[in-house]
Amino acid sequence: MTFNRRNFLKLASLAPGLAIPSLSFANSQEKDLPKALKGLKPMTADIVPISREERLGRIAKAQSLMIANKVDALFLEPGTSMAYFLDFDFFLSERMVAAVIPAKGEIAYVCPKFEEDKVTELVKFGSDIRTWEEHESPYQVVAGILKDKGTPNQTVGIEERSRFFLYDGIKKESGRLNFVLADPITAGCRMFKSPAEIALMQKANDITLAAYKVLFDSLYEGMTQADFSRVATEAHLALGAKGSIGANFGEWSAFPHGSSTPQKLKEGDLILADGGCKIEGYTSDISRTIVFGKPTARHTEVWNIAREAQQKAIELAAQQGTTCEQMDAVARGIVSKGGFGPDYKYFSHRLGHGIGLDVHEWTNLVRGNKTPLQEGMCFSNEPGIYIVGEFGVRVEDCFYMSASGPKFFSAPSPAIDKPFA
């Protein structure tokens, strides 16, 4: 497939990130849409949300891990871990809204008194909601919960994404207690995805891959990065999800996470695109590198090295006992052998990251991580080669560890001019 100029009607009338409640284009003018967007339908009719029973199992596992690690309670504020365990979501502000999951006993929630009714509506597990008035200290409320729940080990786990001022305030009110990072509990649960989670991530990947196909069929000379992202957003919406894909063109593709320089697409530019969407909170993350026009021998050579690194890493993952750092090492070795070493010089980042409710979560495919690959773990596999002043390539597909070995969520690209298998 060669990506040449297309006769494409720009999306000037559509605002970036436009929210369309029906996830359709009923209110848009047909003539304002790129041809590839027309006729898209949502792919979300068969989604099965995470069940209450599964979340109860997660809470029980967290409590078991707390006991094993001699942690008396887990403090959470709104975010992906709170959503994971409690199916609870709330906006962050300077006012504390939080939950305490004890190693034994009932979950307790903390919120401002004026938010009690709203929080009560959102709570699905437990009924102990404790409030504070505007002139009172929420930290004293948390200290009271910890005292009531019992802290025989005098140790409380703080979720890694909790803000420092909350930790600091609680610590000052609970001087007798020790506070530790709660990763052994939170990551100890979240690293291992259930079949239900895998299914939601598969749907997110399927939708993003479909959006990519629309996007690459909508390229045109002079396309800006904003135009590119707008088409991606609208394609995701039409397919039933909120998602995005960004890109850098030509020499700016050598910036792994992009350049702030305004860019317009021209014939012969290499395009490095990266993006994803969320389904029931679970994410996809796919990168594709193509050329707008005909790839040069140099483009093809570099892309082929990156793709070989991705393939050799997944082949290693199929071997029992492989560790996270071994995957990174084999991919990095392929890139170096291809002439783009040593070490991080051109392949400037780790091979991959964990993925789930967060695009980047524990654990990582990186040197020093001796964690063995285990069933239920999910990762990106994304070797890249970035040649400043020329171009950069990255091939990224996520995979999960099944009982029989690694399985890709999205089929890797067969060639630089064939992004879809």
Side-chain angles (χ1 to χ4, degrees):
M1 183 185 299
T2 299
F3 298 88
N4 292 313
R5 298 179 180 88
R6 300 283 199 279
N7 290 324
F8 176 80
L9 295 173
K10 296 182 181 179
L11 297 175
S13 64
L14 296 178
L18 181 65
I20 304 177
S22 65
L23 297 180
S24 75
F25 295 97
N27 297 322
S28 300
Q29 294 297 318
E30 188 76 4
K31 66 181 178 63
D32 291 328
L33 303 176
K35 183 178 179 181
L37 279 169
K38 298 175 183 178
L40 291 181
K41 297 184 183 302
M43 298 171 58
T44 52
D46 58 344
I47 287 174
V48 178
I50 300 299
S51 68
R52 177 177 177 82
E53 290 70 27
E54 182 162 328
R55 290 189 199 277
L56 286 170
R58 294 172 178 179
I59 295 168
K61 182 177 179 180
Q63 290 177 319
S64 176
L65 288 171
M66 279 187 255
I67 291 169
N69 287 277
K70 293 182 169 50
V71 172
D72 299 304
L74 172 64
F75 176 84
L76 303 170
E77 67 165 327
T80 48
S81 284
M82 201 165 177
Y84 175 87
F85 291 110
L86 304 176
D87 194 18
F88 183 96
D89 187 29
F90 206 89
F91 63 90
L92 295 178
S93 75
E94 76 281 6
R95 297 182 174 96
M96 180 194 291
V97 174
V100 175
I101 302 178
K104 296 180 180 179
E106 185 183 5
I107 298 160
Y109 298 81
V110 182
C111 70
K113 180 64 178 177
F114 73 88
E115 298 282 22
E116 183 176 12
D117 291 339
K118 182 174 183 178
V119 169
T120 300
E121 288 181 339
L122 296 173
V123 166
K124 301 177 182 69
F125 299 92
S127 58
D128 185 358
I129 301 174
R130 306 195 190 188
T131 64
W132 52 281
E133 298 286 8
E134 290 281 63
H135 67 285
E136 296 176 329
S137 168
Y139 312 118
Q140 289 181 355
V141 177
V142 176
I145 291 172
L146 295 173
K147 181 179 179 180
D148 293 347
K149 300 302 179 183
T151 52
N153 300 298
Q154 297 190 343
T155 301
V156 176
I158 302 288
E159 204 270 332
E160 66 175 346
R161 294 173 187 256
S162 294
R163 293 169 294 174
F164 177 80
F165 77 90
L166 297 178
Y167 152 76
D168 191 52
I170 298 166
K171 185 177 181 181
K172 287 175 180 175
E173 291 290 344
S174 307
R176 68 182 181 86
L177 298 179
N178 299 316
F179 291 84
V180 298
L181 195 61
D183 287 355
I185 297 131
T186 53
C189 291
R190 290 180 56 182
M191 272 199 302
F192 306 100
K193 274 64 177 182
S194 68
E197 292 176 283
I198 296 292
L200 292 171
M201 293 175 70
Q202 184 63 65
K203 178 62 70 173
N205 278 269
D206 291 346
I207 288 173
T208 293
L209 205 58
Y212 260 112
K213 291 176 181 178
V214 169
L215 186 54
F216 286 171
D217 200 38
S218 303
L219 302 175
Y220 62 93
E221 183 104 19
M223 188 181 210
T224 67
Q225 292 165 288
D227 295 331
F228 187 97
S229 295
R230 190 174 299 119
V231 176
T233 297
E234 299 300 340
H236 274 105
L237 284 171
L239 293 163
K242 289 185 178 180
S244 62
I245 302 171
N248 278 266
F249 309 145
E251 67 178 297
W252 307 116
S253 60
F255 290 50
H257 281 163
S259 167
S260 60
T261 302
Q263 301 159 39
K264 290 186 178 182
L265 188 61
K266 63 182 183 299
E267 191 80 14
D269 273 350
L270 185 143
I271 302 170
L272 198 167
D274 188 0
C277 70
K278 283 184 174 287
I279 294 295
E280 293 288 316
Y282 287 87
T283 63
S284 57
D285 189 9
I286 301 172
S287 293
R288 288 290 180 265
T289 302
I290 63 170
V291 175
F292 183 57
K294 185 177 180 180
T296 66
R298 174 75 161 169
H299 290 147
T300 303
E301 174 197 11
V302 176
W303 189 97
N304 285 345
I305 293 169
R307 177 66 184 92
E308 182 185 2
Q310 184 189 52
Q311 183 60 33
K312 293 299 184 184
I314 205 71
E315 289 173 3
L316 181 66
Q319 299 178 23
Q320 188 172 5
T322 295
T323 65
C324 291
E325 72 170 356
Q326 286 173 329
M327 282 192 70
D328 179 89
V330 74
R332 201 165 301 282
I334 295 295
V335 172
S336 293
K337 184 179 177 181
F340 293 97
D343 211 10
Y344 290 97
K345 183 174 182 181
Y346 294 99
F347 180 7
S348 53
H349 51 74
R350 66 196 171 205
L351 175 63
H353 53 79
I355 187 168
L357 286 172
D358 289 308
V359 179
H360 289 201
E361 62 180 46
W362 294 109
T363 187
N364 298 310
L365 304 178
V366 67
R367 182 182 301 159
N369 187 359
K370 301 183 185 302
T371 304
L373 302 182
Q374 300 168 63
E375 185 176 353
M377 287 181 167
C378 300
F379 301 94
S380 68
N381 180 356
E382 50 178 308
I385 300 172
Y386 310 97
I387 311 165
V388 175
E390 285 192 66
F391 59 84
V393 305
R394 182 166 63 250
V395 291
E396 178 185 16
D397 297 278
C398 293
F399 70 96
Y400 64 95
M401 293 301 296
S402 73
S404 59
K407 305 287 185 184
F408 275 116
F409 284 109
S410 54
S413 303
I416 191 171
D417 59 352
K418 190 178 180 184
F420 311 111

